[in-house]
Amino acid sequence: MKIKGIRWWIIGLIMLITIINYLDRGTLNYMWIANIEYVISDGHIHSGNYALKDNDNYKLIKTNGDTLIVHKSKLITKEKNGTAIVVNKEGIAYDLGLISPDLSEKDAAKAAKDMLGTITIFFMIAYGISQLISGKIYDKIGTRKGFTISVFLWGAADALTSLSCGLFSLTSFRMMLGLGEAGPWPGTTKSNAEWFPQKERALAQGLFGAAASLGSIIAPIVILMIYIAFGWKITFVIVGCLGLIWIIPWLIINKKGPSEHPWITEKEKNYIISGQPECKIDLAKQKSKSLVELLSNRKNWSVILGRFFLDPIWWMFVTYLPLYLADVFKLNIKEVAFSAWVPYVGAMIGSIAGGWFSGMLIRKGKSVDFSRKTAIVLGGIIIIPSIIAAVLSTSSLMAIIFMAFVLGGFQFMITNIQTIPSDLHCGKSVGSLAGLGGVSAVLGTILAILFAQYITNWILLFSLLGILVPLSIISIFLTVGKLSLIHISEPTRPLYIS
């Protein structure tokens, strides 16, 4: 049996698991704190959530029959479409008793932000360790087995989070999630280097980035709808099991690489291999470079430093966007669900456009060096004014629209930065350098989150992210020199600026 375009089936499966990856990743963030509305009832039973006043307390009755007794001072009373409602702050943080109900609204908001930041730091530490070792593991055992191990680990971790009973267990399961979730990033870079000619790699990487954005688009809707219907514990189980199911078609379709796959056509195999710069090199003489060898060559630092400065922008939005919308614009859980996805539409468009743009320049005869650098600069030009406009917006609608441009510009840049490892290396060093880039991204993100805990003003916090863009671009241009393949026989160039 032969399948035309099997490389697109491979990237399609990777896109699917990337969407699932972001669903798993978003479970905690979207269910951490939720503004739940209850219609104030006059004694009649309502089809949705409703509240019954009992002296100084309100009895809150959920659609599924669960009830809460809350003092009126802890609730926000308002009128919506002519109906009196009360708003109660709920979610994992309150259900596990991590946030005291006796705190003021301001103190509770800060405690929730800081605690989520701390949990995310531990997640990022595990994520960074995984980025470092995953690149080497994928280089050693291949992408077929590598993806299988990663997905099984993070799917099980997310499902097991339903058993959390306190901060320690919750953080432990998130660290387990981080150990699994990091793998696809160096893994996809390696897979794209194997399955695509050089002129299509940025597009393939862009599709991968678009899938991450698509996962972020559907995450608030899917996660919060399941949460509203079944609660946070069942939500973790359902979302966690999606990845475990994905492993089945992955193992069936991704049997071998393009040179040995039994289902690939001869035409596609020749097209892939002839379009790879590696085909001009005797791969038998190539070996996997050690971390010391990678770090000793200045060109490789373009990936490491570029991602160190740029990636915190993405992670700060992924971590804090739901809290930001709920805290600044007082959006309820359904309003967050149906608005938090909008910025990621911009990210998805930017990811595909960034890969297409540099690929288009290459097809027109421009060098890989010129094409990648031009795309990176253009993405940065989009980000900076969009951040300024977003933080100055006075309505949630305008803020969300400008945030879409921010994340679109980010993905336009990062798609091309993540492609650099396959431009610099071939074979067994691609995943290793991609993994190092992931580690530096994690380190930058951890420092950004720690810094964020000392900033109580959301506007100032997001504004400072704009400074990271020129730092990323400058670091890439100063270190990479001319973007071209590094041969194993090529002497290392120490990290200094000549």
Side-chain angles (χ1 to χ4, degrees), residues 421-441:
S422 63
D423 294 327
L424 296 178
H425 298 278
C426 61
K428 295 184 177 181
S429 296
V430 175
S432 298
L433 179 56
L436 278 175
V439 172
S440 68

Side-chain angles (χ1 to χ4, degrees), residues 274-321:
S274 64
Q276 297 175 336
E278 303 92 286
C279 71
K280 303 177 180 68
I281 300 171
D282 185 359
L283 290 178
K285 296 181 181 180
Q286 299 287 316
K287 66 176 183 178
S288 176
K289 298 180 180 69
S290 67
L291 293 180
V292 174
E293 289 175 308
L294 290 172
L295 291 172
S296 65
N297 194 300
R298 185 178 69 181
K299 287 180 178 289
N300 295 327
W301 283 86
S302 61
V303 179
I304 297 169
L305 292 177
R307 293 199 61 186
F308 174 83
F309 289 117
L310 191 64
D311 271 64
I313 295 175
W314 177 264
W315 282 100
M316 294 296 279
F317 275 92
V318 169
T319 303
Y320 291 124
L321 182 58

Side-chain angles (χ1 to χ4, degrees), residues 392-414:
L392 294 178
S393 298
T394 56
S395 71
S396 60
L397 176 62
M398 294 308 300
I400 288 167
I401 290 174
F402 284 119
M403 285 179 183
F405 282 93
V406 173
L407 296 189
F410 170 87
Q411 284 294 343
F412 201 99
M413 283 186 70
I414 201 67

